[in-house]
Amino acid sequence: MAYQNLLIADTDGIRTITINRPDQLNALNRATIAELDQALNEAEADKSVRVLIITGSGAKAFVAGADIKEFAHFSVEEGKMLSAEGHKQLFDHVERLNKPVIAAVNGFALGGGLELAMSCHLRVASANAKMGLPETGLGVIPGYGGTQRLARLVGKGKAMEMIFTAGMIKADEALQWGLVNHVVPQAEGPDASGNPLLAKCAEIAAAIMKNSPTALAAAIRAVNAGFAPGVNGMQREIEEFGNCFGTADFVEGTGAFMEKRKADFTGAL
Ligand code: COA
């Protein structure tokens, strides 16, 4: 499908989705969120896609938040709707995707931008990245999962501090806090092949793609279960673990070990 606000590129099993509104620092308006919903559905259904990378266009921003210009005049009901639809279409959607999603945080990740990065399964940031939840400075609170996912990633105290101060932290601090998995030097040119951030994401993706897609999907479901209210994560792990024994990937993975060869999980694709 053709997108107005996204760029899509495929390389060796990796689909890179670039949010492409650089003149608005890739702010998430409703049209972009709807397109991301569609792009995630397409990636999920396409077996040639093994890992997703989500990033922002331009050298300045990953995503500078929800589009403030769009919601500034919303009523209470419209505000609730905006939040609920966003959770469903994008943030929960990313978190529950059946294949790993890496956020390549190439600059400002603020408000909905940080919330999007936190919905992804892994985060890699460039050294110039700045992250924060500025919503209280606008008279609102994070509404795309930030109050929950930030506390899970960095702990309640640090999450409270970031939300209360509405301040930004730099990439090295985010690494120290566990908010991002890796920090890499900032890209020097526009050419993606010389972009250390995308290169690091591709390196992680290559390591992931050696492993079983069905097991990766099960791992995503099991880990997520531990953070879902009212769900017994350990019980979910038991179920998912057991179900793996009925998959072709399990036959291939264990068979390859016995035969002292590398497993090839492409057969099931
Ligand atoms: N929503 C809508 N538009 C946004 C935006 C957002 N979240 N963030 C940036 N933009 C727009 C600006 O309005 C500006 O557009 P304009 O040229 O049409 O006026 C353009 O992107 C460039 O941003 P600008 O503010 O001029 O860049 P800067 O370098 O001076 O500042 C930031 C960069 C990120 C510090 C600043 O844009 C900012 O504070 N953005 C809002 C962050 C925020 O509060 N996000 C949470 C939203 S809930």
Side-chain angles (χ1 to χ4, degrees):
M1 175 182 153
Y3 294 104
Q4 303 293 313
N5 302 295
L6 305 178
L7 303 172
I8 311 281
D10 286 340
T11 318
D12 302 330
I14 303 171
R15 176 160 297 175
T16 303
I17 300 176
T18 304
I19 299 164
N20 189 32
R21 301 181 73 214
D23 56 332
Q24 297 297 303
L25 304 187
N26 306 317
L28 293 174
N29 59 2
R30 287 202 286 185
T32 305
I33 290 178
E35 288 191 5
L36 282 162
D37 184 31
Q38 177 67 27
L40 292 170
N41 284 334
E42 282 176 7
E44 192 155 43
D46 186 338
K47 289 192 169 181
S48 70
V49 177
R50 306 278 304 275
V51 174
L52 274 86
I53 297 173
I54 298 180
T55 193
S57 179
K60 194 166 167 181
F62 171 69
V63 169
D67 193 319
I68 302 168
K69 291 161 189 160
E70 196 177 64
F71 69 64
H73 301 102
F74 276 11
S75 66
V76 169
E77 281 316 311
E78 285 171 315
K80 283 184 187 166
M81 185 84 82
L82 181 75
S83 174
E85 277 179 0
H87 276 268
K88 186 163 171 276
Q89 286 190 298
L90 180 55
F91 300 86
D92 291 350
H93 195 172
V94 172
E95 188 172 67
R96 292 178 192 159
L97 213 77
N98 67 356
K99 38 195 95 176
V101 187
I102 305 172
V105 182
N106 57 310
F108 287 114
L110 302 175
L114 181 56
E115 290 171 302
L116 176 59
M118 292 193 295
S119 299
C120 295
H121 303 126
L122 312 178
R123 284 150 295 284
V124 182
S126 55
N128 64 315
K130 286 191 178 165
M131 283 154 260
L133 293 178
E135 286 87 347
T136 58
L138 295 165
V140 287
I141 65 167
Y144 286 146
T147 62
Q148 307 303 302
R149 292 193 180 98
L150 184 62
R152 287 171 197 159
L153 280 166
V154 305
K156 189 175 168 187
K158 287 191 166 79
M160 290 291 201
E161 184 179 336
M162 280 182 78
I163 293 168
F164 292 173
T165 62
M168 295 183 208
I169 60 169
K170 291 183 180 164
D172 53 352
E173 208 172 359
L175 181 66
Q176 217 183 334
W177 286 17
L179 184 52
V180 298
N181 299 56
H182 303 276
V183 175
V184 298
Q186 189 180 353
E188 283 178 9
D191 174 13
S193 63
N195 181 330
L197 178 61
L198 292 182
K200 180 68 186 176
C201 293
E203 180 193 316
I204 296 169
I208 292 171
M209 287 188 290
K210 288 183 183 149
N211 303 317
S212 150
T214 54
L216 293 169
I220 291 167
R221 290 191 295 269
V223 174
N224 281 344
F227 297 94
V231 176
N232 183 331
M234 288 298 187
Q235 189 55 41
R236 186 65 192 256
E237 182 187 274
I238 291 166
E239 296 293 325
E240 295 287 354
F241 176 80
N243 288 340
C244 289
F245 286 66
T247 65
D249 280 5
F250 178 74
V251 174
E252 169 59 16
T254 52
F257 176 80
M258 308 289 196
E259 292 160 21
K260 299 194 183 299
R261 62 175 174 82
K262 278 196 178 146
D264 175 6
F265 293 112
T266 56
L269 297 176

